Tab-separated table of all heavy atoms in Angstrom:
chain	number	residue	atom	x	y	z
A	1	GLY	N	118.311	117.169	92.846
A	1	GLY	CA	118.799	116.067	93.657
A	1	GLY	C	119.323	114.869	92.902
A	1	GLY	O	119.799	113.918	93.526
A	2	GLY	N	119.228	114.868	91.586
A	2	GLY	CA	119.742	113.728	90.843
A	2	GLY	C	121.250	113.651	90.891
A	2	GLY	O	121.923	114.576	91.358
A	3	GLY	N	121.779	112.555	90.413
A	3	GLY	CA	123.224	112.408	90.397
A	3	GLY	C	123.637	110.988	90.078
A	3	GLY	O	122.817	110.157	89.689
A	4	LEU	N	124.924	110.745	90.274
A	4	LEU	CA	125.509	109.434	90.006
A	4	LEU	C	125.856	108.781	91.336
A	4	LEU	O	126.570	109.376	92.165
A	4	LEU	CB	126.775	109.586	89.159
A	4	LEU	CG	127.634	108.345	88.957
A	4	LEU	CD1	126.872	107.265	88.203
A	4	LEU	CD2	128.921	108.714	88.229
A	5	VAL	N	125.327	107.577	91.547
A	5	VAL	CA	125.612	106.828	92.761
A	5	VAL	C	125.896	105.384	92.401
A	5	VAL	O	125.603	104.944	91.286
A	5	VAL	CB	124.455	106.887	93.777
A	5	VAL	CG1	124.209	108.309	94.256
A	5	VAL	CG2	123.190	106.283	93.193
A	6	GLN	N	126.427	104.664	93.362
A	6	GLN	CA	126.653	103.235	93.173
A	6	GLN	C	125.451	102.447	93.699
A	6	GLN	O	124.684	102.932	94.539
A	6	GLN	CB	127.920	102.805	93.904
A	6	GLN	CG	129.190	103.393	93.294
A	6	GLN	CD	130.442	102.810	93.915
A	6	GLN	OE1	130.424	102.341	95.048
A	6	GLN	NE2	131.542	102.838	93.175
A	7	ALA	N	125.318	101.247	93.188
A	7	ALA	CA	124.238	100.381	93.643
A	7	ALA	C	124.281	100.225	95.163
A	7	ALA	O	125.364	100.072	95.744
A	7	ALA	CB	124.336	99.027	92.968
A	8	GLY	N	123.108	100.280	95.773
A	8	GLY	CA	123.012	100.160	97.222
A	8	GLY	C	122.999	101.481	97.958
A	8	GLY	O	122.648	101.525	99.142
A	9	GLU	N	123.385	102.540	97.279
A	9	GLU	CA	123.421	103.853	97.915
A	9	GLU	C	122.056	104.536	97.844
A	9	GLU	O	121.093	103.982	97.306
A	9	GLU	CB	124.508	104.707	97.272
A	9	GLU	CG	125.909	104.174	97.539
A	9	GLU	CD	126.992	105.083	96.981
A	9	GLU	OE1	126.699	105.911	96.097
A	9	GLU	OE2	128.140	104.955	97.426
A	10	SER	N	122.003	105.753	98.390
A	10	SER	CA	120.746	106.490	98.471
A	10	SER	C	120.853	107.856	97.786
A	10	SER	O	121.949	108.415	97.660
A	10	SER	CB	120.351	106.695	99.940
A	10	SER	OG	120.154	105.460	100.586
A	11	LEU	N	119.710	108.348	97.377
A	11	LEU	CA	119.588	109.706	96.848
A	11	LEU	C	118.241	110.261	97.290
A	11	LEU	O	117.300	109.496	97.508
A	11	LEU	CB	119.620	109.725	95.316
A	11	LEU	CG	120.939	109.841	94.571
A	11	LEU	CD1	120.703	109.807	93.065
A	11	LEU	CD2	121.690	111.103	94.962
A	12	ARG	N	118.185	111.578	97.382
A	12	ARG	CA	116.922	112.234	97.723
A	12	ARG	C	116.620	113.266	96.653
A	12	ARG	O	117.427	114.163	96.403
A	12	ARG	CB	116.999	112.899	99.097
A	12	ARG	CG	115.670	113.415	99.607
A	12	ARG	CD	115.820	113.941	101.029
A	12	ARG	NE	114.552	114.361	101.616
A	12	ARG	CZ	113.752	113.555	102.294
A	12	ARG	NH1	114.094	112.299	102.479
A	12	ARG	NH2	112.618	114.013	102.803
A	13	LEU	N	115.466	113.142	96.047
A	13	LEU	CA	115.017	114.106	95.056
A	13	LEU	C	114.011	115.055	95.705
A	13	LEU	O	113.219	114.639	96.550
A	13	LEU	CB	114.344	113.409	93.864
A	13	LEU	CG	115.156	112.355	93.134
A	13	LEU	CD1	114.355	111.818	91.940
A	13	LEU	CD2	116.489	112.891	92.681
A	14	SER	N	114.054	116.301	95.271
A	14	SER	CA	113.100	117.291	95.766
A	14	SER	C	112.421	117.979	94.594
A	14	SER	O	113.042	118.206	93.546
A	14	SER	CB	113.814	118.341	96.622
A	14	SER	OG	114.301	117.777	97.815
A	15	CYS	N	111.161	118.305	94.785
A	15	CYS	CA	110.387	119.035	93.769
A	15	CYS	C	109.672	120.180	94.461
A	15	CYS	O	108.929	119.959	95.424
A	15	CYS	CB	109.386	118.109	93.102
A	15	CYS	SG	108.280	118.945	91.942
A	16	THR	N	109.907	121.376	93.965
A	16	THR	CA	109.237	122.557	94.493
A	16	THR	C	108.218	123.050	93.474
A	16	THR	O	108.554	123.225	92.305
A	16	THR	CB	110.245	123.674	94.788
A	16	THR	OG1	111.215	123.192	95.726
A	16	THR	CG2	109.549	124.877	95.405
A	17	ASN	N	107.007	123.249	93.950
A	17	ASN	CA	105.913	123.733	93.109
A	17	ASN	C	105.774	125.239	93.304
A	17	ASN	O	105.825	125.724	94.437
A	17	ASN	CB	104.625	123.006	93.496
A	17	ASN	CG	103.497	123.197	92.504
A	17	ASN	OD1	103.403	124.223	91.838
A	17	ASN	ND2	102.646	122.209	92.393
A	18	SER	N	105.599	125.965	92.213
A	18	SER	CA	105.448	127.424	92.314
A	18	SER	C	104.093	127.798	92.907
A	18	SER	O	103.896	128.941	93.326
A	18	SER	CB	105.604	128.082	90.936
A	18	SER	OG	104.619	127.604	90.039
A	19	LYS	N	103.188	126.839	92.949
A	19	LYS	CA	101.877	127.047	93.539
A	19	LYS	C	101.690	126.093	94.711
A	19	LYS	O	102.476	125.178	94.914
A	19	LYS	CB	100.784	126.836	92.487
A	19	LYS	CG	100.856	127.820	91.324
A	19	LYS	CD	99.675	127.640	90.391
A	19	LYS	CE	99.716	128.677	89.265
A	19	LYS	NZ	98.536	128.548	88.372
A	20	SER	N	100.651	126.317	95.457
A	20	SER	CA	100.376	125.471	96.608
A	20	SER	C	100.114	124.030	96.183
A	20	SER	O	99.283	123.758	95.320
A	20	SER	CB	99.146	126.007	97.346
A	20	SER	OG	98.723	125.088	98.324
A	21	ILE	N	100.846	123.104	96.796
A	21	ILE	CA	100.646	121.699	96.427
A	21	ILE	C	99.282	121.200	96.886
A	21	ILE	O	98.787	120.194	96.389
A	21	ILE	CB	101.765	120.798	96.981
A	21	ILE	CG1	101.800	120.792	98.508
A	21	ILE	CG2	103.113	121.207	96.407
A	21	ILE	CD1	102.767	119.770	99.085
A	22	ASP	N	98.664	121.921	97.809
A	22	ASP	CA	97.322	121.539	98.264
A	22	ASP	C	96.269	121.814	97.191
A	22	ASP	O	95.127	121.389	97.332
A	22	ASP	CB	96.973	122.279	99.546
A	22	ASP	CG	97.812	121.812	100.713
A	22	ASP	OD1	98.296	120.663	100.676
A	22	ASP	OD2	97.988	122.596	101.666
A	23	SER	N	96.669	122.525	96.143
A	23	SER	CA	95.749	122.803	95.041
A	23	SER	C	95.601	121.622	94.095
A	23	SER	O	94.731	121.640	93.221
A	23	SER	CB	96.245	124.013	94.231
A	23	SER	OG	96.353	125.163	95.043
A	24	TYR	N	96.448	120.628	94.254
A	24	TYR	CA	96.493	119.502	93.336
A	24	TYR	C	96.005	118.230	94.009
A	24	TYR	O	96.165	118.038	95.205
A	24	TYR	CB	97.924	119.313	92.812
A	24	TYR	CG	98.394	120.525	92.054
A	24	TYR	CD1	99.009	121.579	92.726
A	24	TYR	CD2	98.194	120.641	90.693
A	24	TYR	CE1	99.401	122.712	92.045
A	24	TYR	CE2	98.585	121.766	90.000
A	24	TYR	CZ	99.184	122.793	90.686
A	24	TYR	OH	99.573	123.914	90.001
A	25	ASN	N	95.407	117.365	93.215
A	25	ASN	CA	94.924	116.098	93.751
A	25	ASN	C	96.077	115.209	94.212
A	25	ASN	O	95.956	114.461	95.174
A	25	ASN	CB	94.091	115.366	92.700
A	25	ASN	CG	92.852	116.138	92.323
A	25	ASN	OD1	92.797	116.778	91.290
A	25	ASN	ND2	91.852	116.120	93.203
A	26	ALA	N	97.172	115.296	93.491
A	26	ALA	CA	98.340	114.495	93.845
A	26	ALA	C	99.579	115.109	93.220
A	26	ALA	O	99.502	115.854	92.240
A	26	ALA	CB	98.183	113.046	93.369
A	27	MET	N	100.685	114.774	93.801
A	27	MET	CA	101.982	115.102	93.220
A	27	MET	C	102.870	113.882	93.322
A	27	MET	O	102.645	112.994	94.143
A	27	MET	CB	102.628	116.280	93.953
A	27	MET	CG	101.962	117.609	93.640
A	27	MET	SD	102.947	119.012	94.164
A	27	MET	CE	104.439	118.825	93.174
A	28	GLY	N	103.880	113.862	92.477
A	28	GLY	CA	104.755	112.712	92.569
A	28	GLY	C	105.833	112.684	91.518
A	28	GLY	O	106.175	113.711	90.934
A	29	TRP	N	106.335	111.481	91.320
A	29	TRP	CA	107.499	111.290	90.465
A	29	TRP	C	107.249	110.177	89.456
A	29	TRP	O	106.687	109.129	89.800
A	29	TRP	CB	108.719	110.931	91.311
A	29	TRP	CG	109.138	112.024	92.230
A	29	TRP	CD1	108.700	112.239	93.502
A	29	TRP	CD2	110.068	113.067	91.945
A	29	TRP	NE1	109.303	113.361	94.025
A	29	TRP	CE2	110.149	113.885	93.096
A	29	TRP	CE3	110.852	113.392	90.833
A	29	TRP	CZ2	110.981	115.003	93.159
A	29	TRP	CZ3	111.679	114.495	90.897
A	29	TRP	CH2	111.740	115.295	92.049
A	30	TYR	N	107.717	110.424	88.255
A	30	TYR	CA	107.758	109.430	87.197
A	30	TYR	C	109.206	109.322	86.740
A	30	TYR	O	110.015	110.202	87.004
A	30	TYR	CB	106.880	109.845	86.025
A	30	TYR	CG	105.398	109.795	86.305
A	30	TYR	CD1	104.805	110.706	87.175
A	30	TYR	CD2	104.584	108.846	85.702
A	30	TYR	CE1	103.448	110.666	87.436
A	30	TYR	CE2	103.219	108.800	85.944
A	30	TYR	CZ	102.665	109.714	86.813
A	30	TYR	OH	101.314	109.667	87.054
A	31	ARG	N	109.528	108.251	86.047
A	31	ARG	CA	110.866	108.136	85.488
A	31	ARG	C	110.800	107.507	84.108
A	31	ARG	O	109.860	106.796	83.771
A	31	ARG	CB	111.780	107.307	86.402
A	31	ARG	CG	111.441	105.818	86.462
A	31	ARG	CD	112.306	105.139	87.498
A	31	ARG	NE	111.991	103.706	87.576
A	31	ARG	CZ	112.417	102.909	88.551
A	31	ARG	NH1	113.178	103.400	89.524
A	31	ARG	NH2	112.098	101.639	88.549
A	32	GLN	N	111.859	107.780	83.359
A	32	GLN	CA	111.963	107.220	82.028
A	32	GLN	C	113.391	106.783	81.781
A	32	GLN	O	114.320	107.601	81.819
A	32	GLN	CB	111.529	108.232	80.967
A	32	GLN	CG	111.419	107.651	79.572
A	32	GLN	CD	110.649	108.548	78.629
A	32	GLN	OE1	110.497	109.743	78.864
A	32	GLN	NE2	110.142	107.965	77.547
A	33	ALA	N	113.550	105.499	81.540
A	33	ALA	CA	114.857	104.947	81.196
A	33	ALA	C	115.007	104.972	79.679
A	33	ALA	O	114.006	104.985	78.949
A	33	ALA	CB	114.971	103.521	81.720
A	34	PRO	N	116.236	104.954	79.189
A	34	PRO	CA	116.450	104.979	77.730
A	34	PRO	C	115.713	103.845	77.039
A	34	PRO	O	115.819	102.686	77.442
A	34	PRO	CB	117.967	104.823	77.606
A	34	PRO	CG	118.505	105.364	78.875
A	34	PRO	CD	117.493	104.998	79.935
A	35	GLY	N	114.932	104.189	76.021
A	35	GLY	CA	114.241	103.178	75.244
A	35	GLY	C	113.006	102.592	75.897
A	35	GLY	O	112.425	101.639	75.358
A	36	LYS	N	112.628	103.150	77.038
A	36	LYS	CA	111.458	102.628	77.746
A	36	LYS	C	110.417	103.726	77.940
A	36	LYS	O	110.759	104.911	77.939
A	36	LYS	CB	111.879	102.058	79.097
A	36	LYS	CG	112.757	100.822	78.993
A	36	LYS	CD	112.995	100.213	80.373
A	36	LYS	CE	113.805	98.936	80.280
A	36	LYS	NZ	114.011	98.313	81.621
A	37	PRO	N	109.163	103.347	78.127
A	37	PRO	CA	108.141	104.362	78.372
A	37	PRO	C	108.271	104.950	79.776
A	37	PRO	O	108.887	104.344	80.664
A	37	PRO	CB	106.835	103.572	78.222
A	37	PRO	CG	107.205	102.165	78.538
A	37	PRO	CD	108.605	101.972	78.054
């Protein structure tokens, strides 16, 4: 779902797990910008 958009626009990311997501305490998203943690 990533891509190039302009400021103010929207994007939707999707993540599919090969196993049941109910097996995990949590799921989610992290990001990393250039030069940043």
